[in-house]
């Protein structure tokens, strides 16, 4: 069973574009959207006029004054005049939310070709503005003052995890995840942080790696970023620059918003989204060649090993100890550097993950390239395990 078996049609990624991530002072939200959309359409080898619908993933939440960006993609070409375009928002999962909305338009038959864009401008806003905007994605902290912001929320997750499963080596485990992703990010030309910091630096509190919210250090936190990515989805190949990539399955699950209604270390809805995507694709973890997951903080990646079923709960460190999630392991995780090194322009992240996975599956990932991967998973999350999306992608 796969998506095609269930719905009777293919959903193909036929072209994509990706900007550099980082502090992009010379770019605007509009210029980033136009850049990646133009690249995606060109790589699909279609005319802009063949686009039936556009979905734009963007969080914003007050980080920039323009709160109505859905028509910015029309700046790509006059051929896009009157094309339906919708902004999609689901916190840090806005990009994957847009991707799934585009997918559902194709499956519903209301469109044959859809342009999906994820974009965010964050660095022009002050730290207090960014912090308040991100806290708007938390039921208990929205609108409240905080010195640690979202880092503090995931620090609480880490504390609960340590109390439940033993905190003795948790800091070292998280440091190993950070070091892995920084090392991977060196090979990603789009990444914001392209420096191999080493495990000792990532595991140690220092002037250059201060504690942000105990037990999370600076190296445990993804950076504030600008950036964009885009992908063209279609029900049929178009003779693009590369072979298309097939969407084999997808899943979404939302958890209860109030923290008191969730187990802070279970990420139950995240687990459900994995199960739904894998079930639709008719595959198991053993059938995946790599995964791009939402490591907004290193504790999130550790919990992802458990939510996807790579290890039992409380045993996520085993995936590192056994070498499974490293670039040469049985299931490499975040070969791109993840959010930790690549950067996290929140609305762009989910689309970026799909683009990076598509590049791997078509052998066009450059220095990041794995040896002949055929199937991958992408996982994107909004809030503390609240809005969860997983896609399974296959080489054609």
């Amino acid at each position: 069973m796969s998506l095609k078996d269930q719905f009777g049609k293919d959903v193909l990624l036929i072209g994509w574009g990706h900007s550099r991530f980082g502090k992009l002072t010379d770019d605007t939200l509009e210029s980033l959207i136009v850049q990646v959309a133009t690249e995606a359409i060109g790589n699909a080898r279609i005319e802009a006029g063949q686009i039936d619908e556009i979905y734009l993933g963007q969080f914003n939440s007050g980080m920039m004054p323009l709160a109505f960006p859905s028509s910015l993609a029309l700046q790509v070409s006059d051929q896009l005049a009157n094309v339906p375009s919708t902004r999609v928002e689901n916190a840090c999962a806005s990009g994957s939310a847009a991707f799934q909305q585009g997918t559902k338009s194709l499956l519903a038959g209301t469109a044959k070709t859809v342009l999906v864009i994820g974009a965010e401008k964050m660095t022009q806003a002050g730290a207090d503005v960014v912090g308040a905007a991100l806290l708007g994605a938390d039921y208990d902290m929205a609108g409240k003052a905080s010195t640690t912001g979202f880092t503090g929320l995931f620090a609480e997750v880490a504390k609960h995890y340590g109390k439940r499963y033993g905190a003795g080596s948790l800091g070292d485990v998280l440091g190993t995840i950070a070091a892995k992703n920084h090392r991977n990010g060196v090979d990603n030309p789009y990444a914001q942080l392209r420096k191999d910091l080493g495990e000792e630096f990532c595991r140690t509190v220092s002037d250059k790696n201060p504690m942000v919210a105990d037990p999370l250090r600076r190296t445990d936190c993804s950076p504030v970023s600008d950036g964009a990515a885009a992908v063209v989805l279609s029900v049929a190949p178009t003779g693009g620059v590369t072979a298309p990539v097939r969407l084999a399955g997808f899943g979404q699950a939302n958890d209860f918003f109030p923290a008191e209604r969730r187990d802070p270390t279970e990420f139950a809805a995240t687990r459900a989204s994995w199960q739904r995507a894998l079930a639709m694709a008719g595959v198991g973890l053993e059938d995946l060649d790599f995964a791009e997951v939402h490591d907004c903080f290193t504790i999130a990646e550790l919990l992802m090993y458990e939510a996807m079923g790579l290890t039992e709960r409380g045993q996520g460190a085993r995936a590192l100890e056994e070498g499974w999630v490293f670039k040469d392991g049985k299931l490499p995780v975040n070969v791109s550097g993840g959010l930790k090194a690549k950067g996290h322009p929140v609305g762009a992240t989910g689309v970026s993950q799909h683009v990076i996975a598509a590049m791997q599956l078509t052998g066009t990932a450059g220095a990041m390239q794995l040896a002949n991967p055929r199937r991958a998973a992408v996982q994107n999350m909004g809030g503390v395990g609240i809005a969860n999306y997983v896609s399974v992608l296959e080489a054609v």
Side-chain angles (χ1 to χ4, degrees):
M1 181 64 70
S2 67
L3 181 150
K4 186 174 182 180
D5 296 326
Q6 184 170 338
F7 294 98
K9 62 178 70 175
D10 260 328
V11 172
L12 300 174
L13 289 70
I14 60 169
W16 43 83
H18 202 297
S19 78
R20 186 171 62 86
F21 282 5
K23 187 174 183 178
L24 309 180
T25 54
D26 294 332
D27 285 294
T28 63
L29 182 68
E30 179 179 332
S31 70
L32 287 167
I33 288 171
V34 170
Q35 173 194 333
V36 297
T38 300
E39 186 179 349
I41 292 168
N43 287 340
R45 287 183 174 158
I46 63 172
E47 296 295 324
Q50 294 174 253
I51 300 292
D52 298 314
E53 197 164 5
I54 300 168
Y55 287 99
L56 170 66
Q58 189 220 19
F59 180 49
N60 193 353
S61 191
M63 288 186 288
M64 63 177 302
L66 181 64
F68 183 44
S70 56
S71 281
L72 290 179
L74 274 58
Q75 300 294 83
V76 169
S77 170
D78 289 347
Q79 294 180 38
L80 292 175
N82 302 321
V83 171
S85 186
T86 305
R87 176 195 171 206
V88 180
E89 186 278 312
N90 219 353
C92 296
S94 295
S96 285
F99 182 91
Q100 284 201 14
Q101 289 303 115
T103 294
K104 291 172 182 177
S105 287
L106 297 181
L107 295 178
T110 57
K112 293 182 178 180
T113 307
V114 174
L115 174 63
V116 177
I117 306 165
E120 206 77 63
K121 276 286 289 182
M122 303 173 69
T123 65
Q124 78 289 337
D128 56 338
V129 174
V130 173
L134 296 177
L135 280 177
D138 185 75
Y139 179 88
D140 301 288
M141 290 301 297
K144 297 180 181 178
S146 171
T147 58
T148 57
F150 235 80
T151 308
L153 300 179
F154 274 88
E156 288 302 310
V157 171
K159 289 176 182 177
H160 281 288
Y161 188 92
K163 289 177 182 177
R164 182 171 297 181
Y165 300 115
S169 62
L170 181 59
D172 287 350
V173 171
L174 300 182
T176 297
I177 293 173
K180 170 183 72 72
N181 292 348
H182 275 288
R183 184 163 57 251
N184 289 345
V186 172
D187 292 329
N188 185 351
Y190 305 116
Q192 181 170 353
L193 305 173
R194 300 185 66 188
K195 186 176 182 180
D196 185 354
L197 298 177
E199 285 199 19
E200 183 177 355
F201 180 85
C202 293
R203 288 178 167 189
T204 305
V205 176
S206 65
D207 289 343
K208 293 185 177 181
N209 189 27
M211 191 70 75
V212 180
D214 190 21
L216 301 182
R217 299 145 298 206
R218 181 178 290 165
T219 50
D220 294 306
C221 311
S222 58
V224 172
S225 316
D226 306 325
V231 62
V232 178
L233 303 179
S234 180
V235 295
T238 58
V241 172
T242 69
V245 169
R246 176 179 291 112
L247 177 65
F250 63 90
Q252 179 191 356
N254 275 53
D255 210 335
F256 295 106
F257 211 4
E260 64 184 17
R261 299 200 65 183
R262 290 178 276 117
D263 182 324
T265 67
E266 185 177 358
F267 279 41
T270 310
R271 185 182 299 269
S273 65
W274 274 98
Q275 293 170 343
R276 290 169 182 173
L278 293 170
M280 183 184 290
V283 302
L285 280 185
E286 67 278 4
D287 299 307
L288 302 179
D289 295 307
F290 69 95
E292 288 289 320
V293 309
H294 192 98
D295 63 320
C296 49
F297 302 93
T298 51
I299 184 62
E301 179 167 328
L302 181 66
L303 284 167
M304 213 50 56
Y305 302 157
E306 301 173 16
M308 71 170 76
L310 188 57
T311 75
E312 296 295 323
R313 289 180 63 184
Q315 298 180 23
R318 187 182 172 202
L320 298 159
E321 294 162 358
E322 301 289 338
W324 300 340
V325 294
F326 292 93
K327 195 169 184 177
D328 58 354
K330 70 176 185 179
L331 184 63
V333 172
N334 287 336
V335 174
S336 68
L339 287 58
K340 174 78 267 295
K342 183 179 61 177
H344 183 27
V346 290
T349 287
V351 182
S352 166
Q353 291 173 313
H354 285 83
V355 169
I356 293 292
M359 292 170 63
Q360 286 283 358
L361 294 170
T362 54
T364 58
M368 293 184 284
Q369 187 65 51
L370 295 167
N372 195 36
R374 304 299 297 167
R375 187 178 289 113
V378 165
Q379 180 269 331
N380 188 200
M381 177 175 70
V384 186
I386 304 297
N388 303 272
Y389 296 81
V390 176
S391 298
V392 178
L393 304 178
E394 296 177 340
V396 175

